[in-house]
Amino acid sequence: MLFPFLIQAFLTVILLGLFCHLAYRKWAGRRALRLPPGPLQLPILGNVHQLPQDYQEKTLARWGRQYGDIVFAQLFRTPAVIISSVSVAKDLMEKRSANYSSRPHFVLQTELMGWDSAITHMPYNDRFRKHRKWIQDAIQSKSALLSFRSLQYRETYTFLTSITESPDEFMSHIRRFAAALIMEITYGHTITSLNDQFLRIAERATTETVANGSPGSMLVDFFPILKHMPLWMPGAGFLRRAAQVKYHVRRMLDKPYDLVKNRLATGTASPSFTSALLEQASRGNVSNPEEEEEDIKGAAGVLFAAGSDTTVSVLSTFLLAMVLHPEVYQKAQTEIHQVTGGTRLPGFEDREQLPYLACVLKELLRWHCPVPLGIPHLASVSDEYSGYDIPQGSLIIPNIWAMTQRTDVFPDPSTFRPERFMEPGGQVTDSIDPANMVFGFGRRVCPGQDFADASIWLLIANMVATMDISRAQDTRGNDITPSASFTSGFVSHPKPFKCRISPRSASVIKLISDMSTIHA
């Protein structure tokens, strides 16, 4: 009995010695590099043990304040560079975009959850450029943005009508508004209610994805061998959950695509992103039809997934901010009334005459950015920046939340104060625009930025013009003051809150009704 034990002990010592030798070599190699400063690391773990499960952006921001705008950390075997400065982010991800435009391989979301055909997760390659061109041509050109205006007006007035009828369900109306815009553009499908089957399928896929792991947040992303664990094995719960998410993602990609394909076959398809690509594929010389089909499904699916949830976050944050800061809302109402006279609803032609509302939107993105950490970029080759070495394969993590909360750039950052973007002469400052942070950087910047901006502006302008927003009251008539608190996760939302929304007057209700009829 002793002999096998001695053999086992001997092998353990040998393996331990080998591990220590390799760890020392790696440590010595790192010592030779001029790495950015960062927190102390432990063997094997690196700095993973120092990251909380929730609100990681706050811990990373604290590192930034302690060590500087560029911080080095080790996440198991993976080097990571955390950026807390817009100027550093632009220096690397925009000015050196050839090196910092790719993505790490996210095993959980690409292989296990089925998002491998989403441009947001693709490495920077020909397939990425193909998807990017499709999306840019469809929603980024000036002609495309102008063509969407009738849809944006229609859905804005539908929202106003709905919130007039059932104001307590404001979150449902926001979700419907965001989804309806994207669904119509992407698939030519009009959403008339929250019970729409395609809306339910898409929302299930996106919420399940966010709930079960952000990009680069799970152990399997650092140790891909874990994806081969037997499902019955303790600790394999993430695999079972990922399989369920993949089912919903697959339905999201397939169902609306099949709808458009069938409508094209019967000649009943409305113009859309998907129908245009299908018609283009039918005319062109496609070498791999199955691959082309998957590309179209992925490009269409990511439009909804990337656009709707962030729009919901921004609009719900607006309501929360206005409930907490009625003086801001009143000032915005006064500005709009001066432009419209209260006899019509604001339109895109009024935007340049509403500088205070522009500041409100800027402060909205700054006060609470919808995607606190973005999706990590990848250093494709080793680089040197500001005297520091950035190893090949490093995760480049832009801490967008930290950038919007810097006290040296935005004094008293927890306070919602649109005036910080207003110059003494009443003009809107463009020197520091939160939109240049929250939509991403370089070749990975969100291609739907202008469309999202226009949609959000139009809805908020019309809400300010037509609705009074105030604090809800309890059964005793006392005001209920919500807290400025937000959920943790890849996309962050305000935690559930109550508010009171009501039309400003009977004439406003008639204006909404008239405009809804015109744009029906």
Side-chain angles (χ1 to χ4, degrees):
M1 296 293 293
L2 183 61
F3 186 67
F5 172 77
L6 290 175
I7 292 178
Q8 184 178 3
F10 177 74
L11 291 176
T12 301
V13 171
I14 293 295
L15 290 174
L16 184 61
L18 179 61
F19 170 78
C20 291
H21 174 69
L22 293 174
Y24 173 79
R25 288 185 60 186
K26 187 174 184 179
W27 173 81
R30 286 284 164 83
R31 291 269 297 178
L33 295 174
R34 299 164 298 168
L35 296 173
L40 293 175
Q41 304 165 14
L42 289 180
I44 303 176
L45 294 178
N47 301 105
V48 169
H49 65 293
Q50 297 169 289
L51 290 176
Q53 185 173 355
D54 295 325
Y55 303 104
Q56 293 182 354
E57 65 275 7
K58 295 184 179 182
T59 296
L60 299 183
R62 189 174 68 250
W63 290 357
R65 291 191 296 270
Q66 182 175 355
Y67 299 107
D69 292 341
I70 179 168
V71 174
F72 183 83
Q74 188 77 25
L75 307 179
F76 295 113
R77 302 174 301 171
T78 305
V81 174
I82 301 102
I83 300 171
S84 302
S85 159
V86 175
S87 61
V88 175
K90 289 182 176 296
D91 282 348
L92 294 182
M93 290 178 281
E94 293 187 2
K95 296 179 182 178
R96 305 185 188 185
S97 59
N99 188 38
Y100 294 102
S101 292
S102 201
R103 292 282 195 223
H105 181 53
F106 303 118
V107 176
L108 178 69
Q109 291 202 346
T110 57
E111 294 188 41
L112 302 180
M113 291 184 176
W115 288 104
D116 52 300
S117 59
I119 187 175
T120 49
H121 294 63
M122 288 180 188
Y124 189 76
N125 54 20
D126 289 341
R127 192 184 187 202
F128 170 89
R129 285 185 282 271
K130 173 184 177 181
H131 283 229
R132 180 84 178 183
K133 186 178 187 307
W134 281 352
I135 295 172
Q136 285 179 329
D137 290 347
I139 65 173
Q140 204 173 35
S141 67
K142 186 176 181 179
S143 59
L145 291 170
L146 289 173
S147 72
F148 297 145
R149 288 195 168 183
S150 61
L151 169 64
Q152 290 165 323
Y153 278 118
R154 187 193 78 197
E155 292 304 328
T156 295
Y157 301 140
T158 298
F159 172 87
L160 295 176
T161 301
S162 300
I163 209 164
T164 300
E165 296 170 350
S166 52
D168 290 342
E169 299 177 19
F170 62 89
M171 282 305 305
S172 295
H173 302 318
I174 287 175
R175 287 196 298 270
R176 195 213 64 83
F177 169 80
L181 290 172
I182 301 298
M183 276 287 184
E184 184 125 354
I185 291 172
T186 307
Y187 301 108
H189 175 66
T190 301
I191 293 178
T192 57
S193 77
L194 285 169
N195 292 321
D196 183 276
Q197 64 164 321
F198 298 105
L199 172 59
R200 293 201 308 270
I201 290 171
E203 281 196 334
R204 184 70 183 273
T206 53
T207 55
E208 290 287 337
T209 298
V210 171
N212 286 283
S214 302
S217 67
M218 299 292 285
L219 204 58
V220 70
D221 288 325
F222 300 98
F223 300 98
I225 195 172
L226 294 178
K227 67 186 177 183
H228 300 298
M229 288 176 65
L231 295 179
W232 51 262
M233 192 171 180
F238 75 94
L239 288 173
R240 295 189 291 271
R241 292 190 294 271
Q244 293 174 355
V245 174
K246 188 171 187 176
Y247 167 77
H248 295 299
V249 170
R250 196 67 256 172
R251 292 187 74 211
M252 173 186 170
L253 298 178
D254 291 343
K255 291 292 184 181
Y257 174 89
D258 292 340
L259 172 74
V260 177
K261 195 172 182 179
N262 292 335
R263 286 179 176 176
L264 277 174
T266 58
T268 58
S270 299
S272 70
F273 175 78
T274 303
S275 64
L277 291 180
L278 280 170
E279 290 176 332
Q280 178 181 312
S282 67
R283 294 191 302 267
N285 183 21
V286 178
S287 58
N288 190 329
E290 290 184 3
E291 183 179 284
E292 188 77 359
E293 180 178 76
E294 194 61 26
D295 280 340
I296 295 174
K297 288 180 180 180
V302 82
L303 281 180
F304 179 90
S308 60
D309 203 24
T310 50
T311 298
V312 170
S313 174
V314 174
L315 291 175
S316 55
T317 300
F318 167 75
L319 285 179
L320 176 61
M322 296 304 99
V323 171
L324 294 175
H325 299 277
E327 73 285 355
V328 171
Y329 196 67
Q330 185 176 11
K331 193 170 181 179
Q333 283 184 321
T334 300
E335 182 185 63
I336 286 183
H337 185 79
Q338 290 173 346
V339 172
T340 65
T343 60
R344 62 179 179 85
L345 299 184
F348 287 115
E349 68 278 4
D350 300 312
R351 188 163 187 176
E352 291 186 2
Q353 297 175 270
L354 299 170
Y356 186 73
L357 187 61
C359 294
V360 171
L361 265 67
K362 288 179 185 292
E363 180 69 343
L364 199 63
L365 296 177
R366 187 213 62 79
W367 189 58
H368 178 67
C369 58
V371 184
L373 289 176
I375 301 179
H377 292 226
L378 180 74
S380 297
V381 298
S382 298
D383 195 14
E384 185 273 334
Y385 176 77
S386 192
Y388 298 125
D389 292 313
I390 299 177
Q392 180 181 13
S394 294
L395 301 182
I396 308 299
I397 303 174
N399 191 346
I400 299 170
W401 183 85
M403 297 175 195
T404 62
Q405 301 297 312
R406 291 180 64 113
T407 56
D408 58 335
V409 181
F410 305 108
D412 192 16
S414 62
T415 299
F416 189 91
R417 188 168 62 85
E419 289 78 7
R420 71 175 79 242
F421 296 105
M422 186 76 75
E423 295 179 348
Q427 300 299 314
V428 181
T429 178
D430 290 325
S431 58
I432 304 174
D433 190 347
N436 294 331
M437 313 173 201
V438 303
F439 286 101
F441 299 94
R443 301 177 192 180
R444 291 286 179 171
V445 70
C446 174
Q449 174 178 346
D450 292 337
F451 173 75
D453 171 71
S455 302
I456 290 170
W457 180 89
L458 185 66
L459 184 65
I460 287 179
N462 278 270
M463 200 183 307
V464 172
T466 60
M467 300 290 158
D468 284 326
I469 299 173
S470 59
R471 297 176 187 183
Q473 295 182 328
D474 61 21
T475 55
R476 297 183 178 181
N478 299 316
D479 285 348
I480 301 173
T481 302
S483 62
S485 55
F486 303 87
T487 62
S488 176
F490 175 59
V491 180
S492 178
H493 296 262
K495 291 183 178 179
F497 65 96
K498 294 182 179 181
C499 68
R500 185 168 58 185
I501 304 173
S502 59
R504 299 186 66 185
S505 65
S507 59
V508 158
I509 296 177
K510 186 178 186 306
L511 271 177
I512 295 171
S513 177
D514 291 344
M515 296 306 291
S516 296
T517 301
I518 293 172
H519 290 271

